[in-house]
Amino acid sequence: MALETGGDRRVVAATDTATDTIVAPRRPVVAGGFPARRLRRLRRNEGLRRLVRETTLQPDDFIYPLFVSEAITEPAPITSMPGQAQWPLGTLAHQARQIAALGIGGVILFGIPAVKDELGSGAYAADGVVQRAIREIKDAAPDLVVVTDVCLCEYTSHGHCGLVRGGVVQNDETLELLAREAVSHAAAGADVVAPSDMMDGRVAALREALDASGYADLPILAYSAKFASAFYGPFREAAESAPQFGDRRGYQMDPANGREALREVELDVLEGADMVMVKPALPYLDVLARVRDRWNLPLAAYNVSGEYAMLKAAAANGWLDERRATLELLGGIKRAGADVIITYHAIEAARWLGEP
Ligand code: PBG
């Protein structure tokens, strides 16, 4: 910065660049501050605002969750998630084509089996509900990315994410079942498997089993920092997966812990995760930003069922402008560092983004 004085005029050169010369007013100027700097200049019209916009949303940022149930023949709306439903097999081709046509990045599948048992055997059955759903979607829309949620809670009679013995979810024995589930999803044609169980060592177990079964090229999206959250409430209605005793705090993370989330991510990266996830999104934007700062692999955020339900409820009461609030919220998740957003708003948001 150069400063010249001549007569009663002061010339202040340079605030941003050395060549920029400003004839200053008589009153003293703090270089870099007001009135030389007026941030409103770049907010004057939509053209300027668009030019300098730092974060933009696109449909291919989104992954849309689909609940597929073996126990129904007609779509069953989910009351706590207005606009969402459980879908029977046979209706997915239509869904898949519609989602692909909107340019949405992919879908993530959750299955509700006709029968549940202690071992969650529907999760790794070759003709299980998700395995059949994958084939149906891939036949209809081969280019639509199909992610599968790898977990046992929708398939076990007790509703926990792993094998239970003596009232305790067993870590190491569960790994084998999860690995079988992931391999069966791969065999059915999944593009990505996403373990959400929060057992220790599951990413390594899945990687090893996939590699040994001829799926060395199949990527793993790890639900790395998955918190024991109240915001999963509506999902448990949708997926019929509420635990029948206790809760998930013995395996999902304590919402108070940010540093531990970084350790979870680190371990999953070391075990071979190709993408990592933070879940839920809104109460954990700080965690997202910290993971983004530390790691360069693709980062996903799960904008979960309770976050969706809150917005829908407020909009239904006329308390929020749903379109603006939703796009602001999704944009905030992306600004915090997410490359990929799993959201029940994917279809609506993709439509809104396509409107002028
Ligand atoms: C299954 C699973 C859950 C969610 C995604 N995978 C529920 C849970 O852990 O209880 C929650 C998704 C949502 O709330 O939208 N393990």
Side-chain angles (χ1 to χ4, degrees):
M1 180 175 109
L3 197 78
E4 288 171 28
T5 23
D8 62 347
R9 284 169 61 127
R10 275 213 310 162
V11 179
V12 181
T15 45
D16 288 333
T17 67
T19 52
D20 178 19
T21 301
I22 301 161
V23 178
R26 282 164 199 276
R27 87 200 125 85
V29 173
V30 179
F34 178 83
R37 286 290 160 265
R38 291 178 183 270
L39 298 189
R40 288 183 54 187
R41 286 183 196 125
L42 292 175
R43 297 177 199 149
R44 281 177 63 216
N45 58 50
E46 184 53 17
L48 288 168
R49 290 192 292 269
R50 281 178 52 174
L51 193 66
V52 300
R53 188 157 293 146
E54 298 175 26
T55 312
T56 51
L57 289 167
Q58 293 157 198
D60 56 17
D61 297 330
F62 306 139
I63 292 181
Y64 182 64
L66 276 175
F67 299 100
V68 188
S69 173
E70 214 172 25
I72 55 176
T73 51
E74 293 295 319
I78 301 160
T79 43
S80 55
M81 300 173 73
Q84 308 302 313
Q86 292 179 346
W87 300 96
L89 289 161
T91 58
L92 302 173
H94 172 73
Q95 293 287 321
R97 280 192 284 262
Q98 180 199 18
I99 292 162
L102 285 165
I104 291 169
V107 292
I108 183 164
L109 302 183
F110 297 95
I112 300 117
V115 278
K116 304 185 186 222
D117 60 30
E118 287 276 306
L119 297 176
S121 48
Y124 36 89
D127 62 346
V129 58
V130 162
Q131 290 79 357
R132 289 163 68 192
I134 297 166
R135 293 193 193 97
E136 200 176 314
I137 292 172
K138 279 288 164 190
D139 280 348
D143 296 330
L144 182 64
V145 172
V146 174
V147 184
T148 58
D149 184 81
V150 175
C151 195
L152 298 181
C153 62
E154 296 117 60
Y155 305 91
T156 51
S157 42
H158 45 70
H160 276 289
C161 302
L163 193 77
V164 175
R165 235 185 260 293
V168 178
V169 176
Q170 304 294 311
N171 193 87
D172 299 15
E173 288 170 81
T174 300
L175 298 181
E176 196 193 313
L177 303 182
L178 295 169
R180 282 170 68 178
E181 183 178 5
V183 169
S184 77
H185 291 173
D191 295 297
V192 180
V193 289
S196 70
D197 52 283
M198 289 303 277
M199 298 302 121
D200 287 320
R202 78 265 164 83
V203 173
L206 261 58
R207 188 69 274 156
E208 198 185 317
L210 290 167
D211 291 0
S213 310
Y215 303 107
D217 289 335
L218 199 88
I220 297 174
L221 162 59
Y223 283 70
S224 300
K226 178 174 176 181
F227 292 88
S229 173
F231 290 92
Y232 305 152
F235 175 94
R236 292 184 188 164
E237 178 201 333
E240 300 173 16
S241 66
Q244 300 303 300
F245 66 90
D247 54 42
R248 302 210 203 290
R249 287 183 292 179
Y251 41 104
Q252 297 182 349
M253 282 190 59
D254 185 333
N257 295 356
R259 292 189 301 269
E260 188 190 355
L262 298 177
R263 296 182 70 204
E264 283 284 5
V265 169
E266 182 178 8
L267 287 171
D268 284 356
V269 173
L270 290 173
E271 289 178 28
D274 300 281
M275 299 182 258
V276 292
M277 191 196 300
V278 173
K279 176 187 174 188
L282 296 184
Y284 302 95
L285 294 180
D286 60 321
V287 176
L288 261 180
R290 288 163 80 182
V291 173
R292 170 79 302 152
D293 277 352
R294 246 160 260 223
W295 296 100
N296 291 324
L297 71 179
L299 174 58
Y302 201 138
N303 176 220
V304 302
S305 57
E307 300 175 302
Y308 174 83
M310 283 196 303
L311 230 162
K312 282 285 171 188
N317 277 295
W319 296 337
L320 281 176
D321 174 334
E322 188 178 7
R323 175 187 157 138
R324 285 190 56 206
T326 302
L327 294 177
E328 180 177 337
L329 185 151
L330 295 172
I333 296 170
K334 190 162 179 192
R335 191 191 64 244
D339 301 300
V340 173
I341 305 172
I342 303 179
T343 178
Y344 303 96
H345 267 116
I347 291 180
E348 280 170 304
R351 290 206 177 106
W352 288 328
L353 291 170
E355 290 167 5

